[in-house]
């Protein structure tokens, strides 16, 4: 069975500072990995995904994530935080053989201070 | 283009009342469809998924049921709501390498 663990339920950064949201995965087969963002009372929006091409994946809004097999990690980063980045972020993993088995982390709420 | 519609956006229902939430997709055929629930301060819990008309898989035993009467329609129901059914319900469909989510329904059971 697959799973993801997001380290830190809340992360607070200052505007302009580096954003680092951590995600570690567990999977017995090569995984697909995803980051989603959720703004209040809205659905989840795909930020980026790793599907076995380049290990450094660039997404929308200046976010990127790097797949590190040796560390079983898929951390999300952004060089400079913007106030509009304040939201909840979810890491997810799915089995390449079964798209019906996507597992989400508990989420990390990002706060951006002015 | 492919879109997913979910309604209503918010709902306040008394305990013991029935529930029906609807999700429809456009621009695709034979999608895999999902219902998730997000309780306050918690992650997403997969409730049901469907790979075709009339085919429903339940992930968690609960007070809810799902139906898929048409290829692009997925309905979440309850005969009698409980307080614990409150939460944010999300419909999703799977595309190649990922899911697309609806805008969600905020359900408050009072």
């Amino acid at each position: 069975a697959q799973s993801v663990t997001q380290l830190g339920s809340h992360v607070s950064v200052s505007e302009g500072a580096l954003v680092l949201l951590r995600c570690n995965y567990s999977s017995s087969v090569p995984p697909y990995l995803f980051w989603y963002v959720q703004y209040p009372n809205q659905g989840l929006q795909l930020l980026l995904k790793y599907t076995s091409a380049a290990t450094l994946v660039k997404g929308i809004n200046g976010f990127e994530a790097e797949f590190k097999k040796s560390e079983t990690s898929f951390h999300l980063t952004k060089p400079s935080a913007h106030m509009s980045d304040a939201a909840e972020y979810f890491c997810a993993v799915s089995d390449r053989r079964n798209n019906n088995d996507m597992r989400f982390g508990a989420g990390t709420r990002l706060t951006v201070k002015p | 283009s492919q879109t997913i519609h979910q309604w209503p956006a918010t709902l306040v229902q008394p305990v013991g009342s029935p529930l029906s939430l609807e999700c429809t997709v456009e621009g695709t055929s034979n999608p895999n469809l999902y219902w998730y629930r997000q309780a306050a301060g918690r992650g997403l819990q997969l409730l049901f998924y469907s790979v075709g008309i009339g085919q429903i898989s339940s992930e968690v035993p609960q007070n809810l049921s799902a139906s898929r009467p048409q290829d692009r329609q997925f309905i979440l129901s309850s005969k009698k709501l409980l307080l614990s059914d409150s939460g944010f319900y999300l419909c999703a469909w799977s595309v190649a390498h990922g899911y697309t989510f609806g805008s969600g329904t905020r359900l408050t059971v009072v």
Side-chain angles (χ1 to χ4, degrees):
Chain A
Q2 309 157 95
S3 65
V4 290
T5 301
Q6 291 184 241
L7 301 176
S9 58
H10 290 87
V11 170
S12 181
V13 301
S14 298
E15 191 173 18
L18 171 71
V19 176
L20 171 60
L21 305 182
R22 300 178 185 272
C23 173
N24 287 90
Y25 70 91
S26 174
S27 179
S28 57
V29 297
Y32 289 145
L33 293 160
F34 309 83
W35 275 100
Y36 288 88
V37 61
Q38 184 183 33
Y39 298 100
N41 291 312
Q42 294 187 28
L44 275 69
Q45 179 183 6
L46 182 66
L47 272 178
L48 50 80
K49 59 186 178 185
Y50 166 75
T51 57
S52 79
T55 56
L56 181 62
V57 181
K58 294 186 183 297
I60 62 172
N61 302 339
F63 284 93
E64 62 181 37
E66 186 172 8
F67 172 69
K68 291 187 176 181
K69 183 179 180 180
S70 61
E71 299 177 9
T72 61
S73 69
F74 192 57
H75 301 331
L76 182 70
T77 61
K78 181 173 180 178
S80 176
H82 192 273
M83 296 298 291
S84 61
D85 294 327
E88 186 143 21
Y89 292 80
F90 292 92
C91 181
V93 61
S94 74
D95 184 341
R96 295 182 181 187
R97 301 166 304 178
N98 180 9
N99 199 32
N100 293 318
D101 193 19
M102 181 174 286
R103 302 290 170 166
F104 289 83
T108 297
R109 183 167 299 280
L110 175 66
T111 301
V112 181
K113 299 174 291 186
Chain B
S1 63
Q2 299 161 337
T3 57
I4 181 168
H5 300 281
Q6 191 178 342
W7 68 91
T10 60
L11 193 59
V12 180
Q13 292 283 101
V15 169
S17 64
L19 173 74
S20 181
L21 302 181
E22 189 162 343
C23 173
T24 59
V25 297
E26 296 179 359
T28 186
S29 59
N30 197 32
N32 290 346
L33 297 171
Y34 309 85
W35 278 110
Y36 282 86
R37 177 169 59 199
Q38 188 177 22
R42 301 178 63 179
L44 283 81
Q45 179 186 35
L46 178 62
L47 301 176
F48 302 95
Y49 71 89
S50 171
V51 299
I53 296 174
Q55 301 179 62
I56 308 296
S57 295
S58 174
E59 288 293 303
V60 181
Q62 59 214 318
N63 186 42
L64 302 169
S65 62
S67 61
R68 187 166 176 178
Q70 300 179 39
D71 180 47
R72 289 172 283 180
Q73 184 184 32
F74 202 25
I75 298 173
L76 183 69
S77 304
S78 174
K79 292 182 179 179
K80 289 185 178 182
L81 283 169
L82 305 172
L83 287 174
S84 58
D85 291 324
S86 293
F88 193 54
Y89 289 82
L90 289 160
C91 179
W93 67 286
S94 61
V95 297
H97 314 321
Y99 292 3
T100 296
F101 286 84
S103 54
T105 296
R106 172 73 59 192
L107 172 66
T108 303
V109 182
V110 296

